[in-house]
Structures are given as structure tokens and as C-alpha cells.
Amino acid sequence: DTGVSQNPRHKITKRGQNVTFRCDPISEHNRLYWYRQTLGQGPEFLTYFQNEAQLEKSRLLSDRFSAERPKGSFSTLEIQRTEQGDSAMYLCASSLNSPLHFGNGTRLTVT
Amino acid sequence: AQSVTQPDIHITVSEGASLELRCNYSYGATPYLFWYVQSPGQGLQLLLKYFSGDTLVQGIKGFEAEFKRSQSSFNLRKPSVHWSDAAEYFCAVGPDSYGQNFVFGPGTRLSVLP
């Protein structure tokens, strides 16, 4: 069990640029989740995959956000035309049933 | 909709003192309940979970939690706090009725005095 891996750990970008984050889940886990966490808050659900199928998306996930999980392995989360309000920690988690196992997150700063 | 409240935003205790962090939830069925801990700049680590059975569950690092259905609570306890326990603690419930989403509380920040 090598744990959930997220890259990069930190990303600083200018407003209007596109960014992409990657998540490598625990290998036998079929479910993969993306959460967003702002300072002083708990994680907020963004989206969830079961294998390669994206089964649920939050209303928080605007049209500028897209997530993929090709072949049911790693996942990417892309944010287009970033805004300052997108600055947050983006957490990935995976599970086989319960509970969730989290990565260390990608901290995004939009300047 | 499911929700989780953690009434205490910040708690300070002295090292060696006992600790109780409160968690209340709203859930339509029998919930799965979790406590996670997060150190600054890190992801969340699972402390313990409740699915069914014995309402007092033991976790890692000497933590325990008690499920009380009548009070819709799942409070986290530790008899003697160590300085390394200083962190943010999150209570979570799930999955929700729509699928597999887990809902997290806003967190309680624990500070430990030497």
C-alpha cells in the first residue's frame, strides 16, 4: 500500500490560466473522489468516480472544472480560466468500500 | 440532506489532560461515521470509524469515539493528550443517499499547551 499520491503539491498560477492536477489512487481501490478545502473549512465534495465512470458531480463543480479517470486508474482534475476564488487545497481520496484514504493534496494559489 | 456539525471551532488543552471533541450529524438512515485528523499542509488521516455493532470504537493514537443514536452524536475522546495531537480534527458521515459522497464537518482545531 503506497498510499494516494497527488501531484504537484503546490501550484501557483495567474488568473485566467489553465491548471491540471493528477491523482494516483491506491491500486486496488475502485472509487476515487475529489474534494476542495479552503482555509479553516472541512473538505467539500466535488466529484466521484467508480472505476472510469464519473457517477456524481457537485453543484460546486462549475463548467470550468473537468475531471477524468481514463481506464479507471489515475485521475486528473483540470480547471480552465482560473479565478482567485479557485485558490484552495484540492484533495484526492480513494476507497474500495469505506473509508476514504486521502492524499496530501495539491495547494493551488491563483494570483 | 446529510450534515455534520462540530460546535467547537478551536479547543486548547494542556498536555496530559483529557479531551472530548463534539460531533453531531443529520442523516436519514444508519450512518457510517468517521473521525479524521489533519496536520498543517497534509491530507486527512483516518483515526477511527463506526459502521455498526459496539457503539464505543477504538482508533489509532489512543483515540476512541462513542456513537449515541438518541443524541445523533459521535464524540471523539482521548484520556491524555500529547503535544503531537495538535492538529485539525474532522468528523464525517456517509455515504449519502444519492451515492457515495461523504460529508465532512467544519473541523475543530486542537491546540496543546506544554
Side-chain angles (χ1 to χ4, degrees):
Chain A
D1 178 358
T2 57
V4 178
S5 176
Q6 291 189 247
N7 287 288
R9 289 296 311 275
H10 303 275
K11 178 70 176 179
I12 300 174
T13 191
K14 292 184 177 179
R15 187 177 54 185
Q17 297 295 304
N18 299 344
V19 295
T20 300
F21 311 141
R22 178 181 170 120
C23 172
D24 289 273
I26 294 172
S27 58
E28 63 268 27
H29 286 183
N30 59 345
R31 297 193 180 110
L32 187 148
Y33 299 74
W34 285 99
Y35 282 82
R36 181 170 67 188
Q37 185 180 26
T38 52
L39 200 62
Q41 300 296 318
E44 296 175 297
F45 171 76
L46 292 179
T47 189
Y48 136 73
F49 292 83
Q50 181 154 317
N51 299 313
E52 67 274 11
Q54 188 173 18
L55 297 187
E56 192 175 346
K57 293 170 63 174
S58 164
R59 288 190 301 270
L60 292 175
L61 212 65
S62 76
D63 292 344
R64 297 183 297 104
F65 287 71
S66 63
E68 294 182 341
R69 192 184 183 195
K71 303 179 182 178
S73 56
F74 72 92
S75 175
T76 58
L77 177 68
E78 181 182 18
I79 309 174
Q80 296 182 325
R81 305 180 303 282
T82 52
E83 301 173 357
Q84 286 188 320
D86 297 330
S87 295
M89 174 80 91
Y90 290 84
L91 294 166
C92 176
S94 68
S95 77
L96 185 56
N97 291 303
S98 287
L100 301 179
H101 297 261
F102 283 87
N104 284 330
T106 293
R107 178 163 298 283
L108 173 66
T109 302
V110 182
T111 63
Chain B
Q2 288 79 5
S3 66
V4 178
T5 56
Q6 293 180 247
D8 304 304
I9 296 173
H10 183 203
I11 284 182
T12 300
V13 300
S14 297
E15 190 168 21
S18 64
L19 171 71
E20 182 169 28
L21 302 182
R22 296 183 290 165
C23 171
N24 293 95
Y25 65 88
S26 171
Y27 195 82
T30 302
Y32 292 176
L33 294 160
F34 310 85
W35 275 99
Y36 285 84
V37 61
Q38 185 179 34
S39 297
Q42 303 297 313
L44 282 72
Q45 179 185 20
L46 179 70
L47 284 176
L48 46 79
K49 59 185 182 289
Y50 171 77
F51 290 170
S52 64
D54 192 345
T55 56
L56 184 63
V57 293
Q58 303 297 318
I60 62 171
K61 304 184 181 186
F63 285 93
E64 66 178 25
E66 186 171 13
F67 170 56
K68 292 185 177 180
R69 184 186 301 276
S70 62
Q71 298 177 18
S72 297
S73 69
F74 189 57
N75 294 349
L76 181 72
R77 301 194 294 251
K78 186 170 185 178
S80 178
V81 170
H82 188 262
W83 64 267
S84 61
D85 293 325
E88 191 90 19
Y89 291 81
F90 295 95
C91 182
V93 62
D96 66 13
S97 55
Y98 299 104
Q100 294 295 327
N101 183 18
F102 292 78
V103 178
F104 286 80
T108 296
R109 184 161 62 93
L110 174 66
S111 297
V112 181
L113 298 176

mmCIF file of all heavy atoms in Angstrom, chain A residues 9 31 33 35 37 40-43 45 48 56 89 91 97-100 102-104, chain B residues 32 34 36 38 41-44 46 49 51 90 96 98-102 104-106:
data_model
loop_
_atom_site.group_PDB
_atom_site.id
_atom_site.type_symbol
_atom_site.label_atom_id
_atom_site.label_comp_id
_atom_site.label_asym_id
_atom_site.label_seq_id
_atom_site.Cartn_x
_atom_site.Cartn_y
_atom_site.Cartn_z
ATOM 1 N N ARG A 9 2.403 19.155 -5.512
ATOM 2 C CA ARG A 9 1.994 19.507 -4.154
ATOM 3 C C ARG A 9 1.528 20.955 -4.077
ATOM 4 O O ARG A 9 0.623 21.286 -3.313
ATOM 5 C CB ARG A 9 3.142 19.304 -3.156
ATOM 6 C CG ARG A 9 3.494 17.845 -2.890
ATOM 7 C CD ARG A 9 2.346 17.093 -2.214
ATOM 8 N NE ARG A 9 1.774 17.774 -1.070
ATOM 9 C CZ ARG A 9 2.251 17.709 0.168
ATOM 10 N NH1 ARG A 9 3.319 17.011 0.427
ATOM 11 N NH2 ARG A 9 1.645 18.354 1.161
ATOM 12 N N ARG A 31 -12.939 3.250 -6.242
ATOM 13 C CA ARG A 31 -13.610 4.556 -6.137
ATOM 14 C C ARG A 31 -12.576 5.660 -5.926
ATOM 15 O O ARG A 31 -11.615 5.488 -5.167
ATOM 16 C CB ARG A 31 -14.624 4.552 -4.999
ATOM 17 C CG ARG A 31 -15.752 3.570 -5.220
ATOM 18 C CD ARG A 31 -16.903 3.802 -4.259
ATOM 19 N NE ARG A 31 -17.960 2.832 -4.498
ATOM 20 C CZ ARG A 31 -18.274 1.838 -3.663
ATOM 21 N NH1 ARG A 31 -17.605 1.697 -2.539
ATOM 22 N NH2 ARG A 31 -19.245 1.010 -3.966
ATOM 23 N N TYR A 33 -12.284 10.012 -5.402
ATOM 24 C CA TYR A 33 -13.018 11.232 -5.070
ATOM 25 C C TYR A 33 -12.096 12.446 -5.188
ATOM 26 O O TYR A 33 -10.909 12.359 -4.884
ATOM 27 C CB TYR A 33 -13.502 11.187 -3.612
ATOM 28 C CG TYR A 33 -14.440 10.065 -3.268
ATOM 29 C CD1 TYR A 33 -13.988 8.761 -3.129
ATOM 30 C CD2 TYR A 33 -15.791 10.321 -3.046
ATOM 31 C CE1 TYR A 33 -14.853 7.733 -2.799
ATOM 32 C CE2 TYR A 33 -16.664 9.304 -2.697
ATOM 33 C CZ TYR A 33 -16.184 8.012 -2.576
ATOM 34 O OH TYR A 33 -17.048 7.009 -2.238
ATOM 35 N N TYR A 35 -12.060 16.375 -3.590
ATOM 36 C CA TYR A 35 -12.622 17.318 -2.643
ATOM 37 C C TYR A 35 -11.835 18.627 -2.736
ATOM 38 O O TYR A 35 -10.670 18.638 -3.124
ATOM 39 C CB TYR A 35 -12.525 16.803 -1.197
ATOM 40 C CG TYR A 35 -13.551 15.761 -0.824
ATOM 41 C CD1 TYR A 35 -13.368 14.429 -1.161
ATOM 42 C CD2 TYR A 35 -14.697 16.109 -0.115
ATOM 43 C CE1 TYR A 35 -14.313 13.466 -0.808
ATOM 44 C CE2 TYR A 35 -15.645 15.157 0.246
ATOM 45 C CZ TYR A 35 -15.441 13.844 -0.100
ATOM 46 O OH TYR A 35 -16.372 12.897 0.246
ATOM 47 N N GLN A 37 -10.800 22.031 -0.296
ATOM 48 C CA GLN A 37 -10.765 22.502 1.082
ATOM 49 C C GLN A 37 -10.175 23.899 1.125
ATOM 50 O O GLN A 37 -9.055 24.116 0.663
ATOM 51 C CB GLN A 37 -9.939 21.548 1.955
ATOM 52 C CG GLN A 37 -9.951 21.901 3.435
ATOM 53 C CD GLN A 37 -9.118 20.938 4.258
ATOM 54 O OE1 GLN A 37 -8.178 20.328 3.768
ATOM 55 N NE2 GLN A 37 -9.471 20.807 5.532
ATOM 56 N N GLY A 40 -9.566 26.742 7.029
ATOM 57 C CA GLY A 40 -10.481 26.738 8.147
ATOM 58 C C GLY A 40 -11.789 26.015 7.907
ATOM 59 O O GLY A 40 -12.702 26.089 8.732
ATOM 60 N N GLN A 41 -11.878 25.306 6.787
ATOM 61 C CA GLN A 41 -13.110 24.578 6.457
ATOM 62 C C GLN A 41 -12.839 23.090 6.282
ATOM 63 O O GLN A 41 -11.693 22.673 6.072
ATOM 64 C CB GLN A 41 -13.710 25.132 5.161
ATOM 65 C CG GLN A 41 -14.069 26.601 5.216
ATOM 66 C CD GLN A 41 -15.154 26.884 6.234
ATOM 67 O OE1 GLN A 41 -16.132 26.149 6.346
ATOM 68 N NE2 GLN A 41 -14.976 27.945 6.998
ATOM 69 N N GLY A 42 -13.911 22.318 6.350
ATOM 70 C CA GLY A 42 -13.781 20.910 6.033
ATOM 71 C C GLY A 42 -13.776 20.687 4.537
ATOM 72 O O GLY A 42 -14.139 21.579 3.764
ATOM 73 N N PRO A 43 -13.376 19.499 4.113
ATOM 74 C CA PRO A 43 -13.387 19.188 2.680
ATOM 75 C C PRO A 43 -14.804 19.243 2.106
ATOM 76 O O PRO A 43 -15.748 18.771 2.736
ATOM 77 C CB PRO A 43 -12.833 17.758 2.626
ATOM 78 C CG PRO A 43 -12.061 17.594 3.893
ATOM 79 C CD PRO A 43 -12.800 18.402 4.914
ATOM 80 N N PHE A 45 -17.117 18.129 -1.168
ATOM 81 C CA PHE A 45 -17.159 17.157 -2.251
ATOM 82 C C PHE A 45 -17.255 17.849 -3.611
ATOM 83 O O PHE A 45 -18.043 18.777 -3.796
ATOM 84 C CB PHE A 45 -18.362 16.242 -2.048
ATOM 85 C CG PHE A 45 -18.654 15.318 -3.193
ATOM 86 C CD1 PHE A 45 -17.866 14.191 -3.410
ATOM 87 C CD2 PHE A 45 -19.706 15.574 -4.045
ATOM 88 C CE1 PHE A 45 -18.142 13.337 -4.459
ATOM 89 C CE2 PHE A 45 -19.991 14.721 -5.096
ATOM 90 C CZ PHE A 45 -19.209 13.598 -5.304
ATOM 91 N N TYR A 48 -16.910 12.235 -7.994
ATOM 92 C CA TYR A 48 -16.536 10.892 -7.603
ATOM 93 C C TYR A 48 -16.639 9.947 -8.797
ATOM 94 O O TYR A 48 -17.533 10.078 -9.640
ATOM 95 C CB TYR A 48 -17.419 10.479 -6.420
ATOM 96 C CG TYR A 48 -18.011 9.100 -6.440
ATOM 97 C CD1 TYR A 48 -17.217 7.982 -6.210
ATOM 98 C CD2 TYR A 48 -19.372 8.921 -6.647
ATOM 99 C CE1 TYR A 48 -17.776 6.718 -6.201
ATOM 100 C CE2 TYR A 48 -19.928 7.664 -6.641
ATOM 101 C CZ TYR A 48 -19.138 6.566 -6.422
ATOM 102 O OH TYR A 48 -19.693 5.319 -6.410
ATOM 103 N N GLU A 56 -20.977 11.053 -9.909
ATOM 104 C CA GLU A 56 -21.613 12.130 -9.171
ATOM 105 C C GLU A 56 -20.762 13.388 -9.270
ATOM 106 O O GLU A 56 -19.536 13.315 -9.217
ATOM 107 C CB GLU A 56 -21.791 11.733 -7.704
ATOM 108 C CG GLU A 56 -22.698 12.651 -6.907
ATOM 109 C CD GLU A 56 -22.936 12.144 -5.489
ATOM 110 O OE1 GLU A 56 -22.632 10.965 -5.210
ATOM 111 O OE2 GLU A 56 -23.420 12.933 -4.658
ATOM 112 N N MET A 89 -7.007 24.031 -1.339
ATOM 113 C CA MET A 89 -6.333 22.736 -1.366
ATOM 114 C C MET A 89 -7.282 21.760 -2.055
ATOM 115 O O MET A 89 -8.458 21.658 -1.683
ATOM 116 C CB MET A 89 -6.054 22.262 0.064
ATOM 117 C CG MET A 89 -5.476 20.863 0.147
ATOM 118 S SD MET A 89 -3.721 20.831 -0.199
ATOM 119 C CE MET A 89 -3.092 21.056 1.473
ATOM 120 N N LEU A 91 -8.019 17.968 -2.692
ATOM 121 C CA LEU A 91 -7.711 16.667 -2.101
ATOM 122 C C LEU A 91 -8.302 15.556 -2.943
ATOM 123 O O LEU A 91 -9.448 15.637 -3.385
ATOM 124 C CB LEU A 91 -8.293 16.592 -0.689
ATOM 125 C CG LEU A 91 -7.710 17.534 0.357
ATOM 126 C CD1 LEU A 91 -8.604 17.589 1.576
ATOM 127 C CD2 LEU A 91 -6.316 17.086 0.755
ATOM 128 N N ASN A 97 -14.303 0.155 -0.312
ATOM 129 C CA ASN A 97 -15.681 0.286 0.193
ATOM 130 C C ASN A 97 -15.696 1.555 1.027
ATOM 131 O O ASN A 97 -15.915 2.621 0.522
ATOM 132 C CB ASN A 97 -16.059 -0.956 0.991
ATOM 133 C CG ASN A 97 -16.196 -2.173 0.087
ATOM 134 O OD1 ASN A 97 -16.983 -2.150 -0.849
ATOM 135 N ND2 ASN A 97 -15.415 -3.194 0.338
ATOM 136 N N SER A 98 -15.484 1.454 2.299
ATOM 137 C CA SER A 98 -15.223 2.609 3.171
ATOM 138 C C SER A 98 -14.010 2.243 3.992
ATOM 139 O O SER A 98 -13.766 1.071 4.224
ATOM 140 C CB SER A 98 -16.422 2.874 4.069
ATOM 141 O OG SER A 98 -17.476 3.435 3.328
ATOM 142 N N PRO A 99 -13.302 3.143 4.560
ATOM 143 C CA PRO A 99 -13.433 4.582 4.448
ATOM 144 C C PRO A 99 -12.614 5.172 3.310
ATOM 145 O O PRO A 99 -12.074 4.434 2.493
ATOM 146 C CB PRO A 99 -12.872 5.032 5.791
ATOM 147 C CG PRO A 99 -11.789 4.039 6.055
ATOM 148 C CD PRO A 99 -12.285 2.714 5.510
ATOM 149 N N LEU A 100 -12.529 6.488 3.277
ATOM 150 C CA LEU A 100 -11.714 7.178 2.302
ATOM 151 C C LEU A 100 -10.275 7.254 2.775
ATOM 152 O O LEU A 100 -10.005 7.458 3.959
ATOM 153 C CB LEU A 100 -12.222 8.613 2.096
ATOM 154 C CG LEU A 100 -13.657 8.778 1.617
ATOM 155 C CD1 LEU A 100 -13.992 10.261 1.500
ATOM 156 C CD2 LEU A 100 -13.869 8.067 0.301
ATOM 157 N N PHE A 102 -6.951 9.474 1.940
ATOM 158 C CA PHE A 102 -6.624 10.736 1.293
ATOM 159 C C PHE A 102 -5.160 10.846 0.916
ATOM 160 O O PHE A 102 -4.267 10.310 1.591
ATOM 161 C CB PHE A 102 -6.947 11.907 2.234
ATOM 162 C CG PHE A 102 -8.399 12.235 2.308
ATOM 163 C CD1 PHE A 102 -9.224 11.583 3.202
ATOM 164 C CD2 PHE A 102 -8.948 13.196 1.471
ATOM 165 C CE1 PHE A 102 -10.575 11.890 3.276
ATOM 166 C CE2 PHE A 102 -10.290 13.516 1.533
ATOM 167 C CZ PHE A 102 -11.106 12.859 2.439
ATOM 168 N N GLY A 103 -4.914 11.592 -0.174
ATOM 169 C CA GLY A 103 -3.568 12.024 -0.494
ATOM 170 C C GLY A 103 -3.244 13.295 0.278
ATOM 171 O O GLY A 103 -4.071 13.791 1.071
ATOM 172 N N ASN A 104 -2.043 13.833 0.056
ATOM 173 C CA ASN A 104 -1.624 15.030 0.771
ATOM 174 C C ASN A 104 -2.102 16.321 0.118
ATOM 175 O O ASN A 104 -1.853 17.400 0.636
ATOM 176 C CB ASN A 104 -0.105 15.063 0.909
ATOM 177 C CG ASN A 104 0.379 14.105 1.981
ATOM 178 O OD1 ASN A 104 -0.320 13.838 2.956
ATOM 179 N ND2 ASN A 104 1.571 13.555 1.783
ATOM 180 N N TYR B 32 -22.644 5.711 8.485
ATOM 181 C CA TYR B 32 -21.255 5.369 8.724
ATOM 182 C C TYR B 32 -20.608 6.655 9.243
ATOM 183 O O TYR B 32 -20.813 7.721 8.672
ATOM 184 C CB TYR B 32 -20.560 4.932 7.437
ATOM 185 C CG TYR B 32 -21.023 3.626 6.844
ATOM 186 C CD1 TYR B 32 -20.515 3.183 5.634
ATOM 187 C CD2 TYR B 32 -21.966 2.811 7.478
ATOM 188 C CE1 TYR B 32 -20.924 1.985 5.067
ATOM 189 C CE2 TYR B 32 -22.389 1.617 6.918
ATOM 190 C CZ TYR B 32 -21.862 1.209 5.711
ATOM 191 O OH TYR B 32 -22.276 0.034 5.152
ATOM 192 N N PHE B 34 -17.068 8.718 10.862
ATOM 193 C CA PHE B 34 -15.613 8.711 10.817
ATOM 194 C C PHE B 34 -15.057 9.932 11.543
ATOM 195 O O PHE B 34 -15.690 10.987 11.587
ATOM 196 C CB PHE B 34 -15.110 8.775 9.357
ATOM 197 C CG PHE B 34 -15.738 7.772 8.433
ATOM 198 C CD1 PHE B 34 -16.945 8.028 7.807
ATOM 199 C CD2 PHE B 34 -15.115 6.556 8.192
ATOM 200 C CE1 PHE B 34 -17.521 7.099 6.958
ATOM 201 C CE2 PHE B 34 -15.682 5.629 7.337
ATOM 202 C CZ PHE B 34 -16.879 5.901 6.721
ATOM 203 N N TYR B 36 -11.347 12.019 11.242
ATOM 204 C CA TYR B 36 -10.074 12.180 10.564
ATOM 205 C C TYR B 36 -9.274 13.271 11.266
ATOM 206 O O TYR B 36 -9.841 14.195 11.858
ATOM 207 C CB TYR B 36 -10.284 12.606 9.100
ATOM 208 C CG TYR B 36 -10.751 11.517 8.164
ATOM 209 C CD1 TYR B 36 -12.098 11.200 8.054
ATOM 210 C CD2 TYR B 36 -9.842 10.813 7.381
ATOM 211 C CE1 TYR B 36 -12.531 10.211 7.179
ATOM 212 C CE2 TYR B 36 -10.268 9.821 6.497
ATOM 213 C CZ TYR B 36 -11.606 9.532 6.413
ATOM 214 O OH TYR B 36 -12.019 8.538 5.544
ATOM 215 N N GLN B 38 -5.953 16.056 10.568
ATOM 216 C CA GLN B 38 -5.164 16.695 9.516
ATOM 217 C C GLN B 38 -4.127 17.617 10.143
ATOM 218 O O GLN B 38 -4.473 18.544 10.872
ATOM 219 C CB GLN B 38 -6.065 17.503 8.582
ATOM 220 C CG GLN B 38 -5.352 18.110 7.391
ATOM 221 C CD GLN B 38 -6.294 18.895 6.482
ATOM 222 O OE1 GLN B 38 -7.252 19.513 6.931
ATOM 223 N NE2 GLN B 38 -6.038 18.842 5.175
ATOM 224 N N GLY B 41 -0.894 21.459 6.118
ATOM 225 C CA GLY B 41 -0.338 21.170 4.806
ATOM 226 C C GLY B 41 -0.403 19.719 4.389
ATOM 227 O O GLY B 41 0.175 19.338 3.359
ATOM 228 N N GLN B 42 -1.092 18.906 5.151
ATOM 229 C CA GLN B 42 -1.173 17.469 4.852
ATOM 230 C C GLN B 42 -2.598 17.055 4.512
ATOM 231 O O GLN B 42 -3.551 17.818 4.683
ATOM 232 C CB GLN B 42 -0.677 16.665 6.063
ATOM 233 C CG GLN B 42 0.723 16.986 6.504
ATOM 234 C CD GLN B 42 1.755 16.647 5.440
ATOM 235 O OE1 GLN B 42 1.726 15.568 4.860
ATOM 236 N NE2 GLN B 42 2.664 17.574 5.176
ATOM 237 N N GLY B 43 -2.729 15.827 4.033
ATOM 238 C CA GLY B 43 -4.046 15.267 3.804
ATOM 239 C C GLY B 43 -4.661 14.778 5.098
ATOM 240 O O GLY B 43 -4.105 14.986 6.186
ATOM 241 N N LEU B 44 -5.799 14.136 5.001
ATOM 242 C CA LEU B 44 -6.517 13.660 6.175
ATOM 243 C C LEU B 44 -6.174 12.213 6.458
ATOM 244 O O LEU B 44 -6.144 11.385 5.544
ATOM 245 C CB LEU B 44 -8.029 13.784 5.955
ATOM 246 C CG LEU B 44 -8.648 15.167 6.109
ATOM 247 C CD1 LEU B 44 -8.288 16.085 4.961
ATOM 248 C CD2 LEU B 44 -10.165 15.056 6.249
ATOM 249 N N LEU B 46 -7.243 8.814 8.692
ATOM 250 C CA LEU B 46 -8.352 8.212 9.415
ATOM 251 C C LEU B 46 -7.938 7.840 10.829
ATOM 252 O O LEU B 46 -6.925 7.157 11.027
ATOM 253 C CB LEU B 46 -8.833 6.969 8.678
ATOM 254 C CG LEU B 46 -9.992 6.215 9.326
ATOM 255 C CD1 LEU B 46 -11.286 7.034 9.216
ATOM 256 C CD2 LEU B 46 -10.180 4.844 8.681
ATOM 257 N N LYS B 49 -13.489 4.596 12.770
ATOM 258 C CA LYS B 49 -14.732 4.550 12.014
ATOM 259 C C LYS B 49 -15.765 3.732 12.771
ATOM 260 O O LYS B 49 -15.425 2.834 13.548
ATOM 261 C CB LYS B 49 -14.507 3.929 10.632
ATOM 262 C CG LYS B 49 -13.965 2.518 10.659
ATOM 263 C CD LYS B 49 -13.661 2.019 9.257
ATOM 264 C CE LYS B 49 -13.171 0.577 9.258
ATOM 265 N NZ LYS B 49 -11.816 0.441 9.818
ATOM 266 N N PHE B 51 -19.311 1.578 11.844
ATOM 267 C CA PHE B 51 -20.253 1.076 10.852
ATOM 268 C C PHE B 51 -21.482 0.487 11.536
ATOM 269 O O PHE B 51 -22.604 0.767 11.170
ATOM 270 C CB PHE B 51 -19.606 0.018 9.961
ATOM 271 C CG PHE B 51 -18.569 0.564 9.011
ATOM 272 C CD1 PHE B 51 -17.757 -0.301 8.288
ATOM 273 C CD2 PHE B 51 -18.393 1.921 8.822
ATOM 274 C CE1 PHE B 51 -16.804 0.193 7.401
ATOM 275 C CE2 PHE B 51 -17.457 2.423 7.957
ATOM 276 C CZ PHE B 51 -16.657 1.544 7.237
ATOM 277 N N PHE B 90 -11.608 16.354 11.960
ATOM 278 C CA PHE B 90 -12.833 16.406 11.174
ATOM 279 C C PHE B 90 -13.685 15.163 11.420
ATOM 280 O O PHE B 90 -13.195 14.046 11.358
ATOM 281 C CB PHE B 90 -12.521 16.493 9.677
ATOM 282 C CG PHE B 90 -11.822 17.749 9.271
ATOM 283 C CD1 PHE B 90 -10.442 17.785 9.162
ATOM 284 C CD2 PHE B 90 -12.541 18.899 9.006
ATOM 285 C CE1 PHE B 90 -9.785 18.952 8.797
ATOM 286 C CE2 PHE B 90 -11.901 20.075 8.637
ATOM 287 C CZ PHE B 90 -10.519 20.100 8.538
ATOM 288 N N ASP B 96 -23.890 9.200 1.351
ATOM 289 C CA ASP B 96 -25.193 9.839 1.366
ATOM 290 C C ASP B 96 -26.185 9.015 0.546
ATOM 291 O O ASP B 96 -25.851 7.998 -0.038
ATOM 292 C CB ASP B 96 -25.099 11.276 0.854
ATOM 293 C CG ASP B 96 -24.723 11.349 -0.616
ATOM 294 O OD1 ASP B 96 -24.763 10.319 -1.325
ATOM 295 O OD2 ASP B 96 -24.385 12.456 -1.050
ATOM 296 N N TYR B 98 -27.601 9.608 -2.164
ATOM 297 C CA TYR B 98 -27.546 9.700 -3.622
ATOM 298 C C TYR B 98 -26.467 8.812 -4.218
ATOM 299 O O TYR B 98 -26.478 8.514 -5.392
ATOM 300 C CB TYR B 98 -27.304 11.148 -4.045
ATOM 301 C CG TYR B 98 -28.403 12.075 -3.591
ATOM 302 C CD1 TYR B 98 -28.232 12.922 -2.516
ATOM 303 C CD2 TYR B 98 -29.627 12.075 -4.250
ATOM 304 C CE1 TYR B 98 -29.250 13.758 -2.093
ATOM 305 C CE2 TYR B 98 -30.647 12.910 -3.830
ATOM 306 C CZ TYR B 98 -30.449 13.745 -2.755
ATOM 307 O OH TYR B 98 -31.446 14.572 -2.343
ATOM 308 N N GLY B 99 -25.518 8.452 -3.417
ATOM 309 C CA GLY B 99 -24.424 7.662 -3.979
ATOM 310 C C GLY B 99 -23.377 7.380 -2.955
ATOM 311 O O GLY B 99 -23.652 6.733 -1.946
ATOM 312 N N GLN B 100 -22.214 7.877 -3.200
ATOM 313 C CA GLN B 100 -21.108 7.521 -2.342
ATOM 314 C C GLN B 100 -20.428 8.731 -1.741
ATOM 315 O O GLN B 100 -19.300 8.633 -1.306
ATOM 316 C CB GLN B 100 -20.097 6.690 -3.134
ATOM 317 C CG GLN B 100 -20.631 5.346 -3.568
ATOM 318 C CD GLN B 100 -20.915 4.443 -2.383
ATOM 319 O OE1 GLN B 100 -20.227 4.498 -1.387
ATOM 320 N NE2 GLN B 100 -21.954 3.627 -2.481
ATOM 321 N N ASN B 101 -21.128 9.870 -1.708
ATOM 322 C CA ASN B 101 -20.499 11.059 -1.160
ATOM 323 C C ASN B 101 -20.383 10.973 0.347
ATOM 324 O O ASN B 101 -21.248 10.417 1.025
ATOM 325 C CB ASN B 101 -21.347 12.279 -1.534
ATOM 326 C CG ASN B 101 -20.730 13.567 -1.061
ATOM 327 O OD1 ASN B 101 -19.547 13.611 -0.761
ATOM 328 N ND2 ASN B 101 -21.520 14.616 -0.985
ATOM 329 N N PHE B 102 -19.312 11.535 0.870
ATOM 330 C CA PHE B 102 -19.101 11.650 2.304
ATOM 331 C C PHE B 102 -19.148 13.134 2.658
ATOM 332 O O PHE B 102 -18.548 13.955 1.976
ATOM 333 C CB PHE B 102 -17.746 11.059 2.696
ATOM 334 C CG PHE B 102 -17.684 9.568 2.535
ATOM 335 C CD1 PHE B 102 -17.519 8.990 1.288
ATOM 336 C CD2 PHE B 102 -17.780 8.733 3.634
ATOM 337 C CE1 PHE B 102 -17.477 7.613 1.131
ATOM 338 C CE2 PHE B 102 -17.729 7.358 3.496
ATOM 339 C CZ PHE B 102 -17.572 6.799 2.243
ATOM 340 N N PHE B 104 -18.332 16.163 5.352
ATOM 341 C CA PHE B 104 -17.427 16.474 6.439
ATOM 342 C C PHE B 104 -17.933 17.676 7.239
ATOM 343 O O PHE B 104 -18.569 18.581 6.697
ATOM 344 C CB PHE B 104 -16.039 16.807 5.892
ATOM 345 C CG PHE B 104 -15.286 15.606 5.410
ATOM 346 C CD1 PHE B 104 -15.547 15.045 4.166
ATOM 347 C CD2 PHE B 104 -14.321 15.015 6.212
ATOM 348 C CE1 PHE B 104 -14.871 13.920 3.731
ATOM 349 C CE2 PHE B 104 -13.630 13.892 5.778
ATOM 350 C CZ PHE B 104 -13.904 13.348 4.540
ATOM 351 N N GLY B 105 -17.630 17.657 8.531
ATOM 352 C CA GLY B 105 -17.884 18.818 9.356
ATOM 353 C C GLY B 105 -16.837 19.892 9.112
ATOM 354 O O GLY B 105 -15.859 19.666 8.395
ATOM 355 N N PRO B 106 -17.020 21.057 9.723
ATOM 356 C CA PRO B 106 -16.102 22.178 9.503
ATOM 357 C C PRO B 106 -14.772 22.036 10.218
ATOM 358 O O PRO B 106 -13.844 22.805 9.951
ATOM 359 C CB PRO B 106 -16.872 23.373 10.052
ATOM 360 C CG PRO B 106 -17.765 22.787 11.085
ATOM 361 C CD PRO B 106 -18.156 21.435 10.569
#
